[in-house]
Amino acid sequence: MLRYLTAGESHGRALCVTVEGLPAGLEITAEELQGELARRRLGYGRGPRMRFEADEVTIVGGVRHGRTLGSPVAVLVGNSEWERSDKWHAEMSTAPGRTENPLTLVRPGHADLAGMQKYGFTDARDVLERASARETAARVVAGMLAKKLIGALGVVVGSHVIQLGSARASGAIRPGPDDLDAVDASEVRCVDPEAAEAMIAEIKAKSKVGDSLGGVVEVLVWGAPIGLGSHVHWDRRLDAALAGALMSIQAVKGVEIGDGFTVAGLPGSEAHDALFWDGHTYVRDTTHAGGIEGGISTGGLIVAHVAMKPLATLNRPTLATVDAITKEAGVSFKERTDVTAVPAMGVVAETMTALVLATEALRKFGGDSMAEFERNAHAFAAALADGPLG
Amino acid sequence: MLRYLTAGESHGRALCVTVEGLPAGLEITAEELQGELARRRLGYGRGPRMRFEADEVTIVGGVRHGRTLGSPVAVLVGNSEWERSDKWHAEMSTAPGRTENPLTLVRPGHADLAGMQKYGFTDARDVLERASARETAARVVAGMLAKKLIGALGVVVGSHVIQLGSARASGAIRPGPDDLDAVDASEVRCVDPEAAEAMIAEIKAKSKVGDSLGGVVEVLVWGAPIGLGSHVHWDRRLDAALAGALMSIQAVKGVEIGDGFTVAGLPGSEAHDALFWDGHTYVRDTTHAGGIEGGISTGGLIVAHVAMKPLATLNRPTLATVDAITKEAGVSFKERTDVTAVPAMGVVAETMTALVLATEALRKFGGDSMAEFERNAHAFAAALADGPLG
Amino acid sequence: MLRYLTAGESHGRALCVTVEGLPAGLEITAEELQGELARRRLGYGRGPRMRFEADEVTIVGGVRHGRTLGSPVAVLVGNSEWERSDKWHAEMSTAPGRTENPLTLVRPGHADLAGMQKYGFTDARDVLERASARETAARVVAGMLAKKLIGALGVVVGSHVIQLGSARASGAIRPGPDDLDAVDASEVRCVDPEAAEAMIAEIKAKSKVGDSLGGVVEVLVWGAPIGLGSHVHWDRRLDAALAGALMSIQAVKGVEIGDGFTVAGLPGSEAHDALFWDGHTYVRDTTHAGGIEGGISTGGLIVAHVAMKPLATLNRPTLATVDAITKEAGVSFKERTDVTAVPAMGVVAETMTALVLATEALRKFGGDSMAEFERNAHAFAAALADGPLG
Amino acid sequence: MLRYLTAGESHGRALCVTVEGLPAGLEITAEELQGELARRRLGYGRGPRMRFEADEVTIVGGVRHGRTLGSPVAVLVGNSEWERSDKWHAEMSTAPGRTENPLTLVRPGHADLAGMQKYGFTDARDVLERASARETAARVVAGMLAKKLIGALGVVVGSHVIQLGSARASGAIRPGPDDLDAVDASEVRCVDPEAAEAMIAEIKAKSKVGDSLGGVVEVLVWGAPIGLGSHVHWDRRLDAALAGALMSIQAVKGVEIGDGFTVAGLPGSEAHDALFWDGHTYVRDTTHAGGIEGGISTGGLIVAHVAMKPLATLNRPTLATVDAITKEAGVSFKERTDVTAVPAMGVVAETMTALVLATEALRKFGGDSMAEFERNAHAFAAALADGPLG
């Protein structure tokens, strides 16, 4: 079983992630992790932080000579800003002290108020520093390890933006595994050029008026093995695990597997994936079920949709709020200038998907070394092909 | 922490559920469990099984004189059919033997094929007996215990159908906690009378042609305490836990918290819940965020939407499939005659929601007896009201 | 990963155990479970309860035609006494009501007082019904499933009594896997005939004066695969898992792996197992480390010692105590007449050992079917033999 | 629930520990962590590494202005040697590369061979770098956080050496909570001066001949709340959790709760703690059960014994072994010069004990802030005192 814990605050010294349960012999370099972190900063309409936020990756443990040791892998993602900025250095010091300027005008749409209430804080910064999406950088490191792990079985995880604000991509255009560089090359990570243009136009328009935009990302998994997840217990269903993992991403409010809400409105006769045998293997021509039937991966393309609300921090004072201490009414303040984080969220959605698949692949195939893990996975596929069902 | 395991096959002797981690002193009777199980059979368009399926509840352990003992609560939900039917008695015998008529024409949209492949079966019945939604009866027992637990804090969990096939309820009509009996009194568990009529008409129409229908349920939670879930780690977010639990329900393919996919298309200025202070407490007039901000319950109404695909077992032979052994093409066979299970799914969605909230309430408030659990919860609320944020 | 929950009270309707995570295709019958339960009643000096306690086993779910389905296996162990005894039927009723005669003279050495304090009870029976060692019958069912699972890899788990009261078996006599029937044939499950005689004499002596006896069991595992457990994280060490599982047995107060406390007094030069290569495989002639080095099974004989205190319920009133309500001083009352449960505890120690090994074997080898589990295990062994270390 | 993961290799850049689940508002400084780490280096007979091993503590996340934020606390324990030593810098580099001098003469009594076999390594250093007891430094950081947490409830965790080699302390001398500084002031952490002298003499003697020594530590907990752990399920028993945690310490081979193996040889009439009421509270004059009855803390002194084998790395070539690749016979090589690590092991035993108690205290009392955690604990104690049992 894969376990991982992330730690670290947005403007603190560093983020830290520890991943326990990886087999030995997985090749990984700081450069690969850095490369994936750079993908997390992609997207038209990101504010200045994304530009100066060079993620400094340090592998602290669990890797020797470029390969995992089976022991927990710990990675730091340093915060260059923390070192540079006297303000943050003081504000986020771990040494005893107190803040000079507590933040009490809580921001709707953020953890600020509920977090202060839960934890007994009188400074919203004690909440928001951890609630910030900056934390996803630590997840992305874990996700890259997961991608490498399942990549050894030929699994590829990708994503693309299918809606940004009111602009939607054509459902007819779905990238293949070879198109993923093209996705990242798009400023909005959208493979439908017309839709991409409309998305950028919408970002520009909102940028002018200080507003923000949400959207929807489609996650795709090619080459997932048959048999991940299970129907035997509710918490072993692959779709349940995916939904939980994807909904855990900051600002995500909806998750669909396959056709999701759409299929709820269709008659049964049009809602399922017909099954064929092509002489060699089972074939489904549609992806209504998103590659998961009965909570188990079918071996077909896995499809999930992830809906993100628009950022709650706007550049114009429109959102009514309250000072949590004085109770004076106010308006939610301006803090950042990203118009949208949807393209980048896709990378985090890939991360969470890869972590779920890696967890399930390790559960099914076991293995303490990559050789053992891969051998078991291949033996399963071979036995299936040679058996009565193959 | 609450742990629970369900067991049992659809046509087997009984379902079994064990719930570990409940405080002592929770009052529970077999009749209450039976009552909640009866709710799970609600809904126009259910087939004959639902009618003769009288769930016989036996509390096996963990309860003495009508109150929990702190020890694991185990409950059997007997299958009257199993006793009565020689066929099932033989087919689902646990004694050594073999089936006379293996099922190999796998049904698309079910776990059949992927389950056979994963577990190495040559009889789809080895999969479908457990993959069946009959298993949710065991969950509902656990859910009723969870409802009673959080009910002691004044929390009420309800649900209603907001879409069935193409018929949608008006978003303007949302039941309150006092309307839940009225919801159950509706044949389709819908409080919008016009929509309910349209839903029934659609069920009748599909029934005639042997087709099936999906739909969407809205889950509502009144009185949830402030501070369940957390922003501090991805797997502690209340929305993530809810999404995973709701997606684990058989045939569910989409989950939204609050406005979900809708809010992805709105500008930030219209997407968040403005915050006010009414002199006594914080007020939010909208539920865009569904009562959860930063993964933490705000104390407001919790709202989630759950999309269910139409049943994959139709009464007409339309869905192309394959015999898993012979590879002959076929059509998915008729097995049951429910047109839709959406109204009943709402009860299961309440179950999963209650289990998530109970888990999080126990994590926050601790407590080995109901007195201790309630005392801690009330002390938290009182300290909040008396403190700087109250 | 194997998960299991037990439920049920000592004098209640039944015990219940649910085991989640077993591969499909494991052969199991109610008779086998019953047979193992009978072993749990072995031993000279057991009181009448053990004789009339015929454990009625019912497999409720997870098994079809004598083989597991991959779904959770649920088993009931019925309590014939409950049906027969009006007294227990009334006292342990789950229906609302109250006890007629609360037990408040708490027994030292039992959970009585601490349990009442923790859970807020005023009747010690609310504690002791669950704290009773009767619960181990449910574990033994789970343990038998675990034994069958690892038995497929050639692993054999056994136990024998090496100390009972002051009588100790000669360390020179250690049974082999073929001697296990002989162990059970001994009235005290001891293979050293002289020691067995002394043990029985001691039981007889204590029986006369109404006293009780503890003792020590040695658990042995033959054929454990190399590589179970791990050095990489504290909670993955095989010895840690074994110690926790063995210490969880009612009345157990000490656990040793290999030479345990003895080796603490030896110099390092005499405390470790020298390693040799016999041309085909690694050989260790001693078992100081108990077959576990660095938290990992070496492939050699696994050895653990488990110390049980004498039963705290005596047949003579010697133990000073207090009424938990009135605070009146009293003496701990007579309840049962077993002089010792050490021989039977060995069976439970086997159970816990088998469950730990099964958990670790599934973690290492994965597998959803017995065929897959065994294939992976054999492939690991073969790769090891063919590789640079073999 | 408290979760924590450690990472890092013995001669690598740093150790890393992340602790998730601590309430907010716990005061902690790097100096306190450093101080506890210094205690881990205590003890006569430690080799040079202990002297130059100045643990550089960096709090990476989860703490702001000297108080926890409720978010995961991550701490680095830097390895000054790594920076200084070109050899280690190169040998333990995480960048792609390979070792120049693989270690293949595996050391009996270490994880070397089993670890290589499990993970598929051909260099024992890939195992031993993580298997080393250096890892306990990361645990000690987590343990210090746990000590501070339960310290807020008045709980004190201590330890002292009661056996070192063949020298045993008098059972009559047991330190109180005020004697803990005196324990640490003893070169062998033993409060019996005569025994301490004998222990030092034995260390000197073994040092001369290059041999090593094991021993036994007694862990003591004063002020543990009533009601931690539970009788209701095997894996919730406090003694089981303690045994697992203590046995997880490198080189530990035996654990006793209370009188442990000794009590196994006593008659029942002498083996239990008589209970009295002194007019205000329950009193037990003995600690046979070690403060835990039925898996639950009684509120009395908790007592555990932990047996450590002598270090397997000797300064003289006595232990026969084999080269894992060539199969040539050899003798286990000299690597370090500690004669014994028993005094320091006591500090790690305190750590594991504190972590278990903190986990159980959080489970029972809940609480997201220290104020809430303490309030709930105090309310439980007050209700107990005011209730029918008090």
Side-chain angles (χ1 to χ4, degrees):
Chain A
M1 267 225 347
L2 214 53
R3 296 184 283 183
Y4 59 99
L5 292 174
T6 72
E9 279 65 42
S10 179
H11 293 85
R13 182 189 293 264
L15 298 174
C16 177
V17 59
T18 303
V19 185
E20 199 282 316
L22 289 170
L26 179 66
E27 296 182 5
I28 192 73
T29 64
E31 288 66 35
E32 287 173 300
L33 300 173
Q34 206 118 22
E36 187 75 354
L37 284 167
R39 291 188 64 229
R40 190 187 142 272
R41 295 194 301 272
L42 288 174
Y44 190 92
R46 304 308 300 274
R49 165 131 193 198
M50 285 299 129
R51 284 191 294 275
F52 62 66
E53 189 182 67
D55 299 302
E56 299 157 19
V57 168
T58 308
I59 299 177
V60 171
V63 174
R64 185 178 177 224
H65 298 321
R67 304 170 88 233
T68 55
L69 291 171
S71 53
V73 175
V75 177
L76 290 183
V77 182
N79 182 359
S80 48
E81 221 180 327
W82 185 82
E83 288 287 3
R84 264 200 298 271
S85 158
D86 281 352
K87 174 164 172 290
W88 284 118
H89 210 280
E91 266 294 19
M92 294 305 295
S93 168
T94 57
R98 58 189 302 273
T99 185
E100 295 304 313
N101 44 358
L103 178 62
T104 54
L105 190 72
V106 295
R107 299 163 308 157
H110 283 276
D112 296 11
L113 179 58
M116 291 169 79
Q117 292 173 315
K118 179 181 177 76
Y119 288 101
F121 295 134
T122 52
D123 180 358
R125 198 161 298 283
D126 285 338
V127 178
L128 66 89
E129 278 291 331
R130 178 65 186 166
S132 154
R134 168 81 184 142
E135 179 265 344
T136 58
R139 303 198 205 185
V140 164
V141 168
M144 189 63 195
L145 288 160
K147 279 185 175 180
K148 295 274 294 188
L149 178 81
I150 56 178
L153 306 185
V155 183
V156 175
V157 180
S159 69
H160 62 124
V161 175
I162 62 172
Q163 183 187 339
L164 207 157
S166 62
R168 288 166 196 264
S170 159
I173 307 179
R174 186 176 267 173
D178 297 336
D179 303 323
L180 294 178
D181 285 345
V183 171
D184 284 359
S186 157
E187 284 180 305
V188 285
R189 302 195 64 247
C190 174
V191 283
D192 174 347
E194 276 181 56
E197 218 170 299
M199 291 173 184
I200 292 172
E202 200 155 328
I203 292 173
K204 284 179 181 168
K206 291 299 174 199
S207 180
K208 270 188 202 152
V209 295
D211 213 337
S212 64
L213 288 170
V216 180
V217 156
E218 183 171 75
V219 180
L220 298 167
V221 183
W222 297 270
I226 292 169
L228 303 188
S230 178
H231 67 286
V232 300
H233 207 258
W234 75 271
D235 55 4
R236 293 190 52 194
R237 289 179 179 261
L238 186 60
D239 37 9
L242 277 175
L246 292 170
M247 192 69 93
S248 80
I249 303 171
Q250 286 84 339
V252 166
K253 301 301 279 186
V255 176
E256 296 179 324
I257 304 297
D259 288 351
F261 281 84
T262 307
V263 86
L266 296 179
S269 51
E270 300 170 24
H272 300 284
D273 302 317
L275 187 71
F276 308 96
W277 178 257
D278 73 356
H280 299 284
T281 187
Y282 297 99
V283 176
R284 294 164 183 90
D285 290 336
T286 49
T287 60
H288 296 305
I292 301 174
E293 291 190 337
I296 304 171
S297 62
T298 63
L301 181 69
I302 292 179
V303 182
H305 295 158
V306 190
M308 186 185 209
K309 68 180 181 182
L311 298 173
T313 322
L314 309 178
N315 281 327
R316 59 173 183 178
T318 39
L319 200 49
T321 187
V322 171
D323 184 293
I325 306 294
T326 65
K327 315 308 182 210
E328 277 177 71
V331 286
S332 193
F333 73 112
K334 159 179 171 171
E335 192 181 54
R336 61 192 287 176
T337 50
D338 283 11
V339 172
T340 187
V342 174
M345 185 272 282
V347 177
V348 183
E350 293 173 22
T351 275
M352 298 314 293
T353 300
L355 283 162
V356 167
L357 294 172
T359 300
E360 293 304 316
L362 285 170
R363 188 197 298 258
K364 177 162 184 50
F365 299 123
D368 290 310
S369 64
M370 287 304 290
E372 188 179 7
F373 171 67
E374 294 175 42
R375 182 174 66 227
N376 291 351
H378 295 150
F380 172 72
L384 205 51
D386 295 345
L389 303 179
Chain B
M1 268 225 348
L2 214 53
R3 296 184 284 184
Y4 58 99
L5 292 175
T6 74
E9 279 66 41
S10 178
H11 293 85
R13 181 189 293 264
L15 299 175
C16 178
V17 59
T18 302
V19 184
E20 200 281 316
L22 289 170
L26 179 68
E27 296 182 6
I28 193 73
T29 65
E31 288 68 36
E32 287 174 299
L33 299 174
Q34 206 117 23
E36 186 76 355
L37 285 166
R39 292 187 64 228
R40 192 188 140 271
R41 298 195 299 272
L42 288 173
Y44 192 93
R46 306 306 300 273
R49 165 132 194 198
M50 284 297 130
R51 284 192 293 274
F52 63 65
E53 188 184 66
D55 300 303
E56 299 158 17
V57 168
T58 307
I59 300 176
V60 172
V63 175
R64 186 180 177 221
H65 299 321
R67 305 170 88 234
T68 54
L69 291 170
S71 54
V73 175
V75 178
L76 290 182
V77 182
N79 182 358
S80 49
E81 222 179 324
W82 185 79
E83 288 289 1
R84 265 201 296 273
S85 158
D86 281 354
K87 173 165 174 289
W88 285 117
H89 211 281
E91 268 292 19
M92 292 306 295
S93 168
T94 56
R98 57 189 302 273
T99 187
E100 295 305 314
N101 44 358
L103 178 61
T104 54
L105 190 70
V106 295
R107 301 163 308 158
H110 283 276
D112 295 12
L113 178 59
M116 292 170 79
Q117 291 173 315
K118 177 180 180 75
Y119 288 102
F121 295 135
T122 52
D123 180 358
R125 198 161 298 281
D126 287 338
V127 178
L128 65 89
E129 279 290 331
R130 178 64 188 166
S132 153
R134 169 81 186 141
E135 179 264 343
T136 58
R139 301 199 207 185
V140 164
V141 168
M144 188 64 195
L145 289 160
K147 279 185 176 181
K148 297 273 294 188
L149 178 81
I150 55 176
L153 306 184
V155 183
V156 175
V157 180
S159 69
H160 62 123
V161 174
I162 60 172
Q163 183 186 338
L164 207 158
S166 64
R168 288 164 195 263
S170 159
I173 306 180
R174 186 176 269 175
D178 297 336
D179 302 325
L180 294 178
D181 285 346
V183 171
D184 283 0
S186 157
E187 285 180 306
V188 284
R189 302 194 68 248
C190 174
V191 283
D192 173 347
E194 277 181 53
E197 220 169 297
M199 291 173 183
I200 292 173
E202 200 155 330
I203 292 174
K204 284 180 181 166
K206 292 301 174 200
S207 180
K208 270 189 201 149
V209 297
D211 213 335
S212 64
L213 288 170
V216 179
V217 157
E218 182 172 77
V219 180
L220 298 167
V221 184
W222 298 272
I226 292 168
L228 303 187
S230 178
H231 67 284
V232 299
H233 208 256
W234 74 273
D235 54 4
R236 293 191 53 193
R237 290 181 177 258
L238 186 60
D239 39 8
L242 277 174
L246 293 169
M247 193 69 94
S248 80
I249 302 171
Q250 287 83 341
V252 166
K253 302 299 279 185
V255 177
E256 295 179 324
I257 304 296
D259 289 350
F261 281 85
T262 306
V263 86
L266 294 180
S269 51
E270 300 169 24
H272 300 285
D273 301 316
L275 186 71
F276 307 97
W277 177 256
D278 73 357
H280 299 283
T281 187
Y282 298 98
V283 177
R284 293 165 182 90
D285 290 336
T286 49
T287 60
H288 296 306
I292 301 173
E293 291 191 336
I296 304 172
S297 61
T298 64
L301 182 68
I302 292 179
V303 182
H305 295 158
V306 189
M308 185 186 208
K309 67 180 183 183
L311 298 172
T313 324
L314 308 178
N315 281 328
R316 59 174 186 178
T318 39
L319 201 49
T321 186
V322 171
D323 185 291
I325 306 295
T326 65
K327 314 305 181 215
E328 278 177 70
V331 285
S332 192
F333 73 112
K334 159 181 169 173
E335 190 183 54
R336 62 193 288 175
T337 52
D338 285 9
V339 173
T340 187
V342 174
M345 184 271 281
V347 177
V348 184
E350 293 173 21
T351 275
M352 299 313 293
T353 301
L355 283 161
V356 167
L357 294 174
T359 300
E360 292 305 316
L362 285 169
R363 189 198 296 257
K364 175 160 186 49
F365 300 124
D368 290 309
S369 63
M370 286 304 289
E372 187 180 5
F373 172 66
E374 294 175 43
R375 184 174 63 227
N376 292 350
H378 295 149
F380 172 72
L384 206 49
D386 295 344
L389 302 180
Chain C
M1 267 231 344
L2 215 52
R3 296 183 284 182
Y4 59 99
L5 292 174
T6 73
E9 278 66 41
S10 179
H11 292 86
R13 182 189 292 265
L15 298 174
C16 178
V17 58
T18 302
V19 185
E20 201 280 318
L22 290 170
L26 179 67
E27 296 182 5
I28 193 73
T29 65
E31 289 66 36
E32 286 173 300
L33 299 174
Q34 207 116 26
E36 186 76 355
L37 284 167
R39 293 188 63 229
R40 189 187 143 273
R41 296 194 300 273
L42 288 174
Y44 190 92
R46 306 306 302 273
R49 166 134 194 193
M50 284 298 129
R51 285 192 291 274
F52 61 67
E53 188 184 65
D55 300 303
E56 300 157 19
V57 167
T58 308
I59 299 176
V60 172
V63 175
R64 185 179 177 225
H65 298 321
R67 305 170 89 234
T68 55
L69 291 171
S71 53
V73 174
V75 177
L76 290 182
V77 182
N79 181 359
S80 49
E81 220 179 327
W82 184 81
E83 287 287 3
R84 265 200 297 271
S85 157
D86 281 353
K87 174 165 173 288
W88 285 118
H89 209 279
E91 268 294 18
M92 293 305 295
S93 169
T94 57
R98 56 190 302 274
T99 185
E100 295 305 314
N101 44 357
L103 177 62
T104 54
L105 190 70
V106 295
R107 301 164 307 160
H110 283 277
D112 295 12
L113 178 59
M116 292 171 79
Q117 292 172 314
K118 178 180 178 76
Y119 288 102
F121 296 134
T122 53
D123 180 359
R125 199 162 296 282
D126 286 339
V127 178
L128 66 89
E129 279 289 331
R130 177 65 186 165
S132 155
R134 169 81 186 141
E135 179 264 343
T136 58
R139 301 198 207 185
V140 163
V141 168
M144 188 64 196
L145 289 160
K147 279 186 176 181
K148 296 275 294 188
L149 178 81
I150 56 178
L153 306 186
V155 183
V156 175
V157 180
S159 69
H160 63 124
V161 174
I162 60 171
Q163 182 186 341
L164 208 156
S166 63
R168 289 166 195 261
S170 159
I173 307 180
R174 185 176 268 174
D178 297 335
D179 302 324
L180 294 178
D181 286 344
V183 172
D184 284 359
S186 157
E187 285 179 304
V188 285
R189 305 195 65 248
C190 174
V191 283
D192 173 346
E194 278 181 54
E197 218 168 303
M199 290 173 186
I200 291 173
E202 199 155 331
I203 292 173
K204 284 180 181 166
K206 292 298 173 201
S207 180
K208 272 189 201 150
V209 296
D211 213 336
S212 64
L213 288 170
V216 180
V217 158
E218 182 171 76
V219 181
L220 298 167
V221 183
W222 298 271
I226 292 167
L228 303 189
S230 177
H231 67 285
V232 298
H233 208 258
W234 74 273
D235 54 4
R236 293 190 53 192
R237 288 180 180 260
L238 186 61
D239 37 9
L242 277 174
L246 293 169
M247 192 69 93
S248 80
I249 302 172
Q250 286 83 340
V252 167
K253 302 301 279 184
V255 177
E256 295 179 322
I257 303 297
D259 289 350
F261 281 83
T262 307
V263 86
L266 295 179
S269 52
E270 299 169 24
H272 299 284
D273 302 315
L275 186 72
F276 308 95
W277 178 257
D278 72 357
H280 299 284
T281 187
Y282 296 99
V283 176
R284 292 164 183 91
D285 289 335
T286 49
T287 61
H288 297 304
I292 301 175
E293 291 191 336
I296 304 172
S297 61
T298 63
L301 182 68
I302 291 178
V303 182
H305 295 158
V306 190
M308 186 185 207
K309 68 179 180 183
L311 297 174
T313 323
L314 309 178
N315 281 329
R316 58 173 184 180
T318 39
L319 201 48
T321 187
V322 172
D323 184 292
I325 306 294
T326 66
K327 316 305 182 214
E328 277 177 70
V331 287
S332 193
F333 73 112
K334 160 183 172 171
E335 192 181 53
R336 60 192 290 175
T337 51
D338 284 13
V339 172
T340 187
V342 174
M345 184 272 282
V347 178
V348 184
E350 294 174 21
T351 276
M352 298 315 292
T353 301
L355 283 162
V356 167
L357 294 173
T359 300
E360 293 306 315
L362 285 171
R363 190 198 296 257
K364 175 159 185 53
F365 300 124
D368 291 308
S369 64
M370 286 304 290
E372 187 179 7
F373 171 68
E374 294 175 42
R375 183 174 64 227
N376 292 349
H378 295 150
F380 172 73
L384 206 50
D386 295 345
L389 303 180
Chain D
M1 268 225 348
L2 215 52
R3 297 184 281 184
Y4 59 98
L5 292 175
T6 73
E9 276 64 54
S10 179
H11 293 83
R13 180 189 295 264
L15 298 174
C16 177
V17 58
T18 302
V19 184
E20 200 282 315
L22 290 171
L26 179 67
E27 296 182 4
I28 192 75
T29 63
E31 287 67 34
E32 287 173 299
L33 299 174
Q34 207 117 21
E36 187 76 355
L37 285 167
R39 292 188 64 228
R40 192 187 140 271
R41 297 194 300 272
L42 288 173
Y44 192 93
R46 307 306 302 275
R49 165 132 193 198
M50 284 298 129
R51 284 192 292 274
F52 63 64
E53 189 183 63
D55 300 301
E56 301 157 18
V57 168
T58 308
I59 300 177
V60 172
V63 174
R64 185 180 177 223
H65 297 322
R67 305 171 87 234
T68 56
L69 291 170
S71 53
V73 175
V75 178
L76 289 183
V77 183
N79 182 357
S80 48
E81 220 179 328
W82 185 80
E83 288 288 2
R84 265 200 296 270
S85 158
D86 281 352
K87 173 164 173 289
W88 285 118
H89 209 281
E91 265 296 17
M92 293 306 295
S93 167
T94 56
R98 57 190 302 274
T99 186
E100 295 304 314
N101 44 357
L103 177 62
T104 54
L105 190 71
V106 294
R107 300 163 308 158
H110 283 277
D112 295 12
L113 178 60
M116 291 170 80
Q117 291 172 316
K118 178 179 179 75
Y119 289 102
F121 295 134
T122 52
D123 180 359
R125 198 162 296 284
D126 286 337
V127 178
L128 66 89
E129 279 289 333
R130 177 66 187 165
S132 153
R134 168 84 186 138
E135 179 265 342
T136 59
R139 302 199 206 186
V140 164
V141 168
M144 188 63 195
L145 289 161
K147 280 185 175 181
K148 296 273 295 187
L149 179 81
I150 57 178
L153 305 185
V155 183
V156 175
V157 181
S159 69
H160 63 125
V161 174
I162 61 173
Q163 183 186 340
L164 208 156
S166 62
R168 288 166 196 261
S170 158
I173 306 179
R174 186 176 268 175
D178 297 335
D179 303 324
L180 295 178
D181 285 346
V183 172
D184 285 0
S186 158
E187 284 180 306
V188 284
R189 300 193 68 248
C190 175
V191 283
D192 173 347
E194 277 182 53
E197 220 169 299
M199 291 173 184
I200 292 174
E202 200 155 331
I203 293 174
K204 285 179 181 166
K206 291 301 173 200
S207 181
K208 272 189 199 145
V209 296
D211 213 335
S212 62
L213 289 170
V216 179
V217 157
E218 181 171 76
V219 180
L220 298 167
V221 184
W222 298 272
I226 293 168
L228 302 188
S230 178
H231 67 286
V232 299
H233 207 258
W234 75 272
D235 55 4
R236 291 190 53 193
R237 291 180 177 260
L238 186 60
D239 38 8
L242 277 174
L246 292 170
M247 193 70 93
S248 79
I249 302 171
Q250 286 83 339
V252 167
K253 301 302 278 187
V255 177
E256 296 179 322
I257 305 296
D259 288 350
F261 280 85
T262 306
V263 87
L266 295 179
S269 52
E270 300 168 24
H272 300 285
D273 302 316
L275 187 70
F276 307 97
W277 177 256
D278 72 358
H280 300 285
T281 187
Y282 297 99
V283 176
R284 293 165 182 91
D285 289 336
T286 48
T287 60
H288 297 306
I292 301 174
E293 291 191 335
I296 304 173
S297 61
T298 63
L301 182 67
I302 292 178
V303 182
H305 296 160
V306 190
M308 186 183 206
K309 68 178 182 185
L311 298 173
T313 324
L314 309 178
N315 282 328
R316 58 174 186 178
T318 40
L319 201 49
T321 187
V322 171
D323 184 294
I325 306 294
T326 65
K327 314 307 181 213
E328 275 177 71
V331 286
S332 193
F333 72 112
K334 158 181 172 173
E335 191 182 54
R336 60 192 289 175
T337 52
D338 284 9
V339 172
T340 186
V342 174
M345 184 272 281
V347 177
V348 183
E350 295 174 23
T351 276
M352 298 315 291
T353 301
L355 283 162
V356 167
L357 294 173
T359 300
E360 292 306 315
L362 285 170
R363 190 199 295 258
K364 176 160 185 50
F365 300 124
D368 290 309
S369 64
M370 286 305 289
E372 187 179 7
F373 171 66
E374 294 175 43
R375 184 174 64 229
N376 292 349
H378 294 149
F380 172 73
L384 205 50
D386 295 344
L389 303 179

